[in-house]
Amino acid sequence: MTTVTVFSEEDRLTGFEVSGHSGYAEFGADIVCAAVTSAVRLVECTLNDVLGLQVSVKTKEKDAFIRLKLPAHLGAEHDSLCQTLLAGFLVHMAALAEEYPDNLLVLNTEV
């Protein structure tokens, strides 16, 4: 099962962690893993390549693990954009988890 843990501090989303294989299908044919991976890459590319932020991303491909953490001080405009993007990611992951409850678990954690 893939677990998506979204981190928040008070009312501010601060990042997420994704770990595990969904087990929906064999490697290369797993639509759940593909959907999650695509969403994660969209968030990371938007934050780092489009907005030009220095967002911390740690990956361990062999362990199917990625952690993305927002910088503490983004400024009001960037923080607003990041909150919107992470909220969209969370909604998307929750919808996938409803559709594939045996393969995807979404958790919210206050840090």
Side-chain angles (χ1 to χ4, degrees):
M1 175 175 287
T2 298
T3 302
V4 177
T5 305
V6 178
F7 303 110
S8 60
E9 189 174 306
E10 297 177 6
D11 290 333
R12 183 176 179 267
L13 297 171
T14 58
F16 59 82
E17 180 177 289
V18 179
S19 63
H21 296 282
S22 79
Y24 181 80
E26 292 181 28
F27 181 79
D30 194 322
I31 61 172
V32 177
C33 279
V36 172
T37 300
S38 180
V40 166
R41 287 185 177 167
L42 175 65
V43 170
E44 191 272 328
C45 288
T46 301
L47 294 173
N48 285 329
D49 300 331
V50 175
L51 295 176
L53 303 175
Q54 300 298 314
V55 176
S56 171
V57 179
K58 295 181 182 179
T59 61
K60 295 179 187 174
E61 282 191 39
K62 67 177 182 171
D63 297 330
F65 172 87
I66 186 165
R67 179 181 296 143
L68 184 142
K69 185 175 180 197
L70 293 178
H73 305 287
L74 290 171
E77 183 179 349
H78 278 144
D79 192 56
S80 178
L81 291 169
C82 290
Q83 293 306 300
T84 300
L85 184 60
L86 288 180
F89 174 78
L90 176 57
V91 169
H92 182 55
M93 292 298 105
L96 284 173
E98 282 185 26
E99 193 170 345
Y100 300 97
D102 296 332
N103 308 98
L104 183 61
L105 174 65
V106 179
L107 305 170
N108 294 301
T109 302
E110 183 81 18
V111 291

